[in-house]
Amino acid sequence: MKKIVVVGGGAGGMELITKLGKTLGKKGKAEITLVDIANHHIWKPLLHELATGSLDEGTNAVDYQVHGANKGYLYQRGALTGIDRENRQIILAPLYSADGRLILDERRLDYDYLVIGIGAISNDFGIPGVKEHAFTLDLTEQAMILRERIQDQFMQHASGQRQGKMKVAIVGAGATGVEMAAELHHMTQTLRTYGYKLEQDLLDLTIVEASDSVMPALPKSDLRQSVHDKLLELGVKVSTSTMVTEVTKQGLTTKDGQLIEADLIVWAAGVKAPEVLATLGLEVNRANQLMAADTGRTLSDERIFTFGDCASIPQEDGSFLPPRGQTARQVALMIGTNLTRLLKDPNAKLDRYVYKDLGSFVNLAHFNTVGNMFSFFHGGLQVVGCPARFVYASLYRRHIISLHGPLKGSMILMIHGLNRLLRPQLKLW
Ligand SMILES: Cc1cc2nc3c(=O)[nH]c(=O)nc-3n(C[C@H](O)[C@H](O)[C@H](O)COP(=O)(O)OP(=O)(O)OC[C@H]3O[C@@H](n4cnc5c(N)ncnc54)[C@H](O)[C@@H]3O)c2cc1C
């Protein structure tokens, strides 16, 4: 039986593996295997909510092993470290426990077709001190560590053992940075209702952005302005056209010699693909992304496909697909269709991806949501408030329905809704 291995069970990978499991794995037409470093999936655009405790990982995480058993695919936990293309095998690093015990030795898995969708990691652009002093939001574990640090600081302020303002700096005013800032304000307000003795203006939060606007990826300047205005209303200091040159224990040093003091620094200034991709013998660009055609097939190997944040896929106008949830999902699903064809006929004509920007949304906790829909049509339609929140939330709903099917998916979403109503707004442990 032909073997398809998908490495990376993220926003795109989970939708692909579910599709392949249903159409091929369950019907015995191919053996489908998912490989991921983690043992569970949490939709990455929600990581900032996990970092502030708004999201409960217990009810939102999807266990790969169990999901695979239900959906017709196998699961192997491990990190991709190499590809033996001659023998069509991938190599997984030895697996260690958190306390350093060896659990599994290095392993090799056979494939006939390999799909790589291992996402992106934060790009520190070589700026000194980022790794040592800033938090990033690439993995569930990092979000959980950040949550603990944020909660510790709030507790120190509430107990009076830490004086003055709680100084936070977020580098990068894209969706991650802006949403994180709003979530931190929401967290401060909610903790006060839980009896934490926190000054109303405790949070001294600065967002630093190298370009001249917040949310530079939003197509309309009035949308960017409304995000900017809302941040100012919340008391966030917005510092655009500001380059960070060093991160230290004291805070951020900028190109013009300013020191922005911070007790807690979140780095959300941009992404690059994981370094391992540059060591696989496949063609990559400067951001370590695998170079591929618009069919999802890598330029280096016709049996290897790629999608999402780790892929460099050209569009008709010569630009490349942006690293976003919707492109990861759409390309991954198209690769699913292409692989099904290739199993029947190795010379089959493959679908080519044409990007249609369905919109961009930014959710400022419960304060506001703004976005732009149908950007391909006369610059798009501006949406704010409740309708924007509905569309924003529907992206996650669609992801859950794709993973679990309409019936079970709707039930899970109902449980999430009830859980949000019944459980405390913040998870504190
Ligand atoms: C806080 C935040 C908010 C965001 N908000 C939005 C938004 O509003 N809209 C939007 O479109 N996008 C948003 N994004 C970006 C979006 O999350 C990504 O574009 C999307 O998740 C990319 O999907 P992917 O499948 O390529 O990778 P990911 O979803 O990142 O999944 C990658 C998977 O690969 C696994 N992996 C990594 N390395 C290895 C390895 N070596 N071996 C095996 N497995 C590995 C990881 O564990 C993970 O499961 C946001 C991102 C963040 C962090």
Side-chain angles (χ1 to χ4, degrees):
M1 202 189 311
K2 292 274 189 248
K3 295 181 175 179
I4 298 177
V5 175
V6 177
V7 186
M14 276 304 271
E15 304 229 5
L16 169 63
I17 201 85
T18 307
K19 174 174 173 163
L20 292 176
K22 184 175 161 195
T23 55
L24 300 173
K26 271 198 169 177
K27 295 181 178 164
K29 292 182 177 171
E31 183 185 283
I32 313 295
T33 304
L34 171 69
V35 172
D36 201 287
I37 283 182
N39 54 17
H40 65 271
H41 161 75
I42 289 187
W43 200 53
K44 198 171 180 182
L46 294 179
L47 279 191
H48 61 290
E49 293 193 22
L50 191 62
T52 53
S54 294
L55 187 90
D56 177 2
E57 71 281 6
T59 43
N60 283 266
V62 180
D63 186 316
Y64 291 128
Q65 187 74 44
V66 180
H67 188 255
N70 289 330
K71 298 294 174 189
Y73 65 87
L74 305 169
Y75 162 65
Q76 287 274 339
R77 185 170 181 189
L80 174 74
T81 48
I83 305 179
D84 175 351
R85 283 162 59 197
E86 209 176 311
N87 294 306
R88 282 198 224 128
Q89 290 180 325
I90 59 164
I91 302 160
L92 304 185
L95 183 67
Y96 291 92
S97 66
D99 59 358
R101 278 177 300 111
L102 177 68
I103 305 172
L104 295 173
D105 280 323
E106 182 180 282
R107 284 153 292 156
R108 283 176 171 249
L109 301 182
D110 296 327
Y111 67 82
D112 291 290
Y113 290 102
L114 172 64
V115 189
I116 302 178
I118 61 174
I121 53 171
S122 299
N123 193 348
D124 65 9
F125 302 101
I127 293 168
V130 177
K131 280 191 188 73
E132 296 79 3
H133 303 293
F135 288 90
T136 51
L137 273 178
D138 300 329
L139 299 169
T140 306
E141 291 72 24
Q142 292 168 337
M144 307 282 278
I145 293 169
L146 177 56
R147 180 164 90 195
E148 205 177 318
R149 270 293 291 277
I150 296 169
Q151 290 179 352
D152 290 349
Q153 289 210 11
F154 275 118
M155 205 170 14
Q156 288 166 339
H157 280 281
S159 70
Q161 291 192 10
R162 197 187 261 257
Q163 309 291 328
K165 302 262 190 192
M166 179 165 155
K167 292 181 183 152
V168 180
I170 297 177
V171 186
T176 308
V178 164
E179 292 184 339
M180 185 73 200
E183 275 293 329
L184 279 169
H185 270 276
H186 174 233
M187 191 177 183
T188 319
Q189 286 184 358
T190 311
L191 286 176
R192 281 161 56 84
T193 68
Y194 291 170
Y196 270 55
K197 291 193 174 57
L198 302 172
E199 296 293 328
Q200 182 104 38
D201 59 351
L202 170 75
L203 208 53
D204 177 357
L205 202 161
T206 308
I207 290 199
V208 181
E209 166 62 45
S211 74
D212 62 359
S213 159
V214 299
M215 292 298 299
L218 275 182
K220 287 198 164 187
S221 62
D222 43 354
L223 277 177
R224 296 197 288 265
Q225 191 59 47
S226 64
V227 174
H228 192 127
D229 293 345
K230 190 73 214 176
L231 289 171
L232 294 183
E233 206 182 296
L234 289 173
V236 176
K237 295 175 193 157
V238 181
S239 193
T240 49
S241 305
T242 306
M243 295 279 288
V244 173
T245 50
E246 193 180 3
V247 179
T248 63
K249 220 175 159 202
Q250 282 69 44
L252 310 174
T253 309
T254 66
K255 199 174 175 186
D256 55 10
Q258 252 193 89
L259 171 69
I260 298 172
E261 287 183 33
D263 308 317
L264 192 97
I265 298 163
V266 179
W267 191 265
V271 292
K272 63 176 181 185
E275 261 130 46
V276 64
L277 294 176
T279 67
L280 300 177
L282 303 171
E283 200 179 334
V284 292
N285 65 12
R286 282 176 57 197
N288 300 331
Q289 288 174 308
L290 295 172
M291 307 286 286
D294 53 6
T295 54
R297 195 175 231 164
T298 56
L299 301 187
S300 312
D301 192 320
E302 62 174 23
R303 289 189 175 263
I304 303 180
F305 290 72
T306 187
F307 64 85
D309 289 3
C310 74
S312 172
I313 297 180
Q315 304 182 73
E316 270 176 350
D317 65 1
S319 64
F320 289 84
L321 289 180
R324 293 174 55 188
Q326 61 174 291
T327 47
R329 173 181 190 271
Q330 289 166 14
V331 177
L333 289 174
M334 180 198 69
I335 290 175
T337 306
N338 284 343
L339 289 178
T340 308
R341 281 192 199 147
L342 286 172
L343 287 185
K344 287 188 194 141
D345 170 9
N347 299 314
K349 193 168 182 305
L350 303 185
D351 277 356
R352 299 171 60 188
Y353 181 70
V354 179
Y355 178 48
K356 266 202 177 160
D357 186 356
L358 299 177
S360 315
F361 284 84
V362 56
N363 183 41
L364 301 163
H366 67 235
F367 304 110
N368 201 0
T369 307
V370 302
N372 189 58
M373 285 173 76
F374 312 122
S375 317
F376 53 89
F377 188 71
H378 293 305
L381 174 71
Q382 180 174 328
V383 200
V384 290
C386 286
R389 179 148 188 89
F390 180 81
V391 181
Y392 176 85
S394 65
L395 300 175
Y396 180 55
R397 287 194 204 110
R398 187 182 57 186
H399 182 65
I400 293 295
I401 301 274
S402 302
L403 263 49
H404 301 285
L407 184 65
K408 192 171 171 194
S410 305
M411 278 160 45
I412 289 173
L413 288 168
M414 235 154 54
I415 292 167
H416 287 178
L418 278 174
N419 195 36
R420 280 206 185 244
L421 276 180
L422 297 176
R423 79 165 179 92
Q425 277 190 46
L426 290 183
K427 189 172 162 64
L428 295 181
W429 47 268

